[in-house]
Amino acid sequence: MSMLANRVMTDHDDRDVLVKKLSWILSHYMTGAGTPDGDKKWAPSAVMADVPPCIGDWQLVWGPAVYPTASIKYAGLYDATNAAFIARCEQIDDSNSNRPAIYVVGVAATNPASMDDIFVQDGDVNRVVQWQKFDPSSDPSSLAVQLSGTGDDGFPYISAATAHGLHDVWTKLVAPNWAPGAGQTIVQALASLDLSRDANGSMLVFAGHSLAAALTPMMALYAVERLEEISSRFGKGIYAYPTAGATPGNQAIVTRYGEKLAPANPLGGSGTGYQLLNARIWNSLDVVPHAWALTQHADYDGNQSPMMPSIAGLYKKDPTDPDPVGVDAIVNLAMNRAQASGMAYWTLPGSMLKGTATSHPDSLIGFVPEMLHQHIAAYLEGLVLTVGIPKIPGD
């Protein structure tokens, strides 16, 4: 679901077209999507026949919504800084008829063309925001600080980047007037969805990939801790499913998250690898999960968590090979920015998937394509999805 939410994150278009296109794309995968406003180009499609056997029968119950920002490359057009939708599946498969209905909030937040993504939601890691003071309904700028002295003083903190991302997703994503949940934010929709038809109860999952994988665990934690109008409705639990994400904060926020959202396997399956909710799912060769921690600790599965100092050596054929030219300089800049916060970043405990390098680059020019492959395609081509997502004809 998080991958589907990302489908317009590299597009540049009119504000309205971005959300209409996303709804049209979703209509190939679930009912209730598409624009019924007479715009023939984005009229709903029928759900493709090979979709239900792959991901189940899903219904769009809110959105989609897109937060557009002016494109710096294409004058007069917009880039999607964030996107999201909420979808419902009554029966994920036929193996257990007593399972609850599942509601997934699919969130997208990675757009290399969006300056707001790059410099604010991703890059503002040199400042932090104390969790207890944070309210995503308000702009967190006034709360963002750099810690001094002994560091983070034991309080739970998130990066200012994460705080801004949460604020934008909670407040700036509003369903258009032709979509399910018209005029509502995610919080408003979750507080008012009709759950009466869920005979076996309802569970809620916040799912995100990459930048959104730093946001969705904190969205789930905030909902559990402070949004009783939501937590009281989803009696079968609130969960997160973050993949390929950077860490959102310090050890205290990670501890708090683990206490409220321990690793869980409510849907059956092995309960290991990618089949684990509330654990950060990460590819061992993916650069992004290595940000922003500088030290390691034990992961849920016994493996060591990722850290930034190991990035340059990820794709070496032999550990004694020299680092790829140019990579260390960029990594050092990123580490210095994280250290400037005065906070020790701590990775969310997760479940590591063993990646396989497709190349062994000796310079930054070769490093970047391998990095992109490990961050996106590797998850879709075996690490998480053993069967590829059905493609829209002509896509």
Side-chain angles (χ1 to χ4, degrees), residues 13 43 46 59 79 81 102 152 208 273 279 323 339 344 384 395:
D13 222 315
Q59 176 193 7
D79 300 316
T81 292
I102 303 170
D152 57 32
D323 290 342
Q339 287 178 305
V384 172
D395 191 3

Side-chain angles (χ1 to χ4, degrees), residues 128-147 152-153 155-159 163-164 166-167 221-222 225-226 253 256:
V128 298
V129 173
Q130 192 179 129
W131 180 251
Q132 286 99 322
K133 298 179 180 179
F134 174 64
D135 177 356
S137 66
S138 302
D139 187 328
S141 297
S142 63
L143 299 175
V145 298
Q146 289 182 318
L147 301 177
D152 57 32
D153 61 29
F155 287 105
Y157 285 89
I158 57 175
S159 69
H164 281 291
L166 292 171
H167 169 67
L221 179 61
Y222 194 87
E225 286 191 339
R226 300 193 228 174
I253 193 67
R256 194 182 189 103

Side-chain angles (χ1 to χ4, degrees), residues 30-32 59-63 86-88 103 180-181 184 189 193 197:
M30 59 190 70
T31 60
Q59 176 193 7
L60 185 70
V61 295
W62 173 85
I86 304 174
R88 173 187 182 270
Y103 293 80
Q184 291 184 320
L193 286 172
R197 54 182 169 165

Side-chain angles (χ1 to χ4, degrees), residues 16-17 20-21 24 34-44 178:
D16 293 341
V17 170
K20 287 180 179 180
K21 182 177 182 180
W24 174 79
T35 58
D37 65 349
D39 191 335
K40 293 182 179 180
K41 183 176 181 179
W42 307 115
W178 44 263

Side-chain angles (χ1 to χ4, degrees), residues 53-125:
C54 179
I55 64 172
D57 292 303
W58 290 85
Q59 176 193 7
L60 185 70
V61 295
W62 173 85
V66 173
Y67 166 39
T69 52
S71 176
I72 62 167
K73 187 175 181 180
Y74 300 95
L77 299 182
Y78 292 83
D79 300 316
T81 292
N82 299 108
F85 63 86
I86 304 174
R88 173 187 182 270
C89 184
E90 185 165 356
Q91 190 64 36
I92 196 73
D93 60 41
D94 297 327
S95 63
N96 185 346
S97 60
N98 294 318
R99 283 179 177 161
I102 303 170
Y103 293 80
V104 173
V105 182
V107 180
T110 301
N111 187 338
S114 168
M115 293 300 98
D116 195 59
D117 271 353
I118 294 172
F119 293 109
V120 182
Q121 294 186 18
D122 253 333
D124 198 359
V125 295

Side-chain angles (χ1 to χ4, degrees), residues 164-385:
H164 281 291
L166 292 171
H167 169 67
D168 289 345
V169 169
W170 280 136
T171 64
K172 296 179 181 178
L173 292 175
V174 178
N177 59 13
W178 44 263
Q184 291 184 320
T185 63
I186 292 173
V187 172
Q188 291 167 338
L190 292 175
S192 61
L193 286 172
D194 180 11
L195 308 183
S196 62
R197 54 182 169 165
D198 302 340
N200 296 321
S202 316
M203 64 177 283
L204 175 62
V205 181
F206 292 91
H209 186 82
S210 193
L211 194 162
L215 303 183
T216 47
M218 298 298 99
M219 292 173 72
L221 179 61
Y222 194 87
V224 167
E225 286 191 339
R226 300 193 228 174
L227 296 177
E228 186 179 0
E229 67 269 31
I230 294 174
S231 60
S232 62
R233 307 186 76 224
F234 290 89
K236 296 299 182 179
I238 294 177
Y239 305 90
Y241 190 71
T243 57
T247 189
N250 68 347
Q251 185 175 3
I253 193 67
V254 168
T255 299
R256 194 182 189 103
Y257 175 82
E259 291 171 350
K260 303 293 176 66
L261 293 151
N265 183 30
L267 300 177
S270 67
T272 60
Y274 70 90
Q275 295 181 328
L276 194 62
L277 297 180
N278 296 338
R280 186 176 62 151
I281 309 301
W282 64 284
N283 169 11
S284 62
L285 297 183
D286 184 357
V287 167
V288 174
H290 288 72
W292 298 92
L294 304 183
T295 58
Q296 290 182 309
H297 58 84
D299 236 337
Y300 281 141
D301 54 11
N303 290 298
Q304 286 295 301
S305 64
M307 63 175 182
M308 295 191 77
S310 63
I311 288 176
L314 286 178
Y315 311 132
K316 290 183 181 181
K317 191 172 184 178
D318 187 287
T320 62
D321 291 341
D323 290 342
V325 176
V327 174
D328 273 332
I330 294 176
V331 172
N332 287 335
L333 286 173
M335 289 195 296
N336 289 340
R337 189 165 181 82
Q339 287 178 305
S341 68
M343 178 184 78
Y345 281 90
W346 193 264
T347 54
L348 281 176
S351 182
M352 186 191 80
L353 309 176
K354 183 64 176 176
T356 302
T358 63
S359 66
H360 305 286
D362 59 7
S363 69
L364 181 62
I365 293 174
F367 189 92
V368 171
E370 182 68 25
M371 177 185 72
L372 294 174
H373 170 82
Q374 297 296 341
H375 185 55
I376 302 172
Y379 291 89
L380 298 172
E381 298 172 358
L383 285 181
V384 172
L385 298 179

